[in-house]
Amino acid sequence: MSQVRPVPSALLGLGLCLALALGPGPAPAAAQEAYRFRAEFWTALEGIPQSGDPWPLPLAVAAERLADEAAYVFSGEIWGFQFEWTPSDKARNLGEVFRLEALGSIARADPRLHAGPARVEDGRLLAYVEYRPNAAELSLVEAAGKSPWKSVQGSGQGQFLKGEAGRKDAFEAAAKAALRELLRGLEPNKPRRVRGRLVFASVPRVGMVDGQWLVQARYRVEVQQLESYEVF
């Protein structure tokens, strides 16, 4: 049976208060009506010694990770990422190269990044986090919803025993899987190199399956450069 208990801020220490600013807090009427990002995020409370985690994992550390992931995802919905991908090619003795670079980020101390009360459930720390974008940020979100941006989805895995590094690997693997799926419909032959931008179309789903982090995500993608191999 699922066990749920609220986490009073007094028990969490300074780290969680700084990371999540617990408590609903008043908001001006205009802000309540404005567009906002809002989703529930979670992080595991089980420290993984193999990854260098402290044991037991302090709640403040878990809260910082939860806040960081919320900021990462919301930033990915607004600014997204620049990508460059060279698929592997055994015939040409080329190894795969994949680079994903964030184009913007939300500071954890940004007052527009706000979390509601946290709770502990089944070995996880969970909290709803919201972010209120400004007009310039909203224009970026709207632009990614138009042509030539295309919709695609992908899923990726990363080793659970690598801790947060494995979780990040799963996010990157999901992006690469989505790009591979998109390119199948754009280029019949394997491309030499692809460059462009991608953004999260919604908040990715994160879980654990058979000792692996699993990330399932929907994206909007703008392919800016697609290089093909020369044919002789």
Side-chain angles (χ1 to χ4, degrees), residues 19-25 66-67 70 111-118 127-131:
L20 293 180
L22 287 176
L66 188 154
R112 294 176 296 158
L113 183 69
H114 175 80
Y128 276 93
V129 185
E130 67 176 45
Y131 178 75

Side-chain angles (χ1 to χ4, degrees), residues 84-138:
E84 179 178 328
W85 183 31
T86 300
S88 63
D89 192 310
K90 293 182 179 179
R92 296 177 173 88
N93 196 29
L94 293 175
E96 181 181 66
V97 177
F98 184 70
R99 298 186 180 92
L100 197 65
E101 179 182 355
L103 292 174
S105 62
I106 299 169
R108 191 190 296 168
D110 192 319
R112 294 176 296 158
L113 183 69
H114 175 80
R119 72 185 191 278
V120 171
E121 179 179 345
D122 296 333
R124 303 182 300 169
L125 182 70
L126 302 96
Y128 276 93
V129 185
E130 67 176 45
Y131 178 75
R132 293 186 295 274
N134 59 32
E137 292 165 351
L138 275 178

Side-chain angles (χ1 to χ4, degrees), residues 33-46:
E33 297 175 358
Y35 182 87
R36 63 177 179 171
F37 295 105
R38 186 175 189 272
E40 186 175 48
F41 293 86
W42 68 273
T43 188
L45 289 173
E46 179 184 0

Side-chain angles (χ1 to χ4, degrees), residues 56-90:
L57 190 69
L59 281 173
V61 173
E64 290 173 355
R65 292 178 178 179
L66 188 154
D68 286 343
E69 185 159 303
Y72 171 81
V73 168
F74 292 153
S75 298
E77 290 188 86
I78 297 169
W79 296 283
F81 309 86
Q82 190 79 34
F83 69 84
E84 179 178 328
W85 183 31
T86 300
S88 63
D89 192 310
K90 293 182 179 179

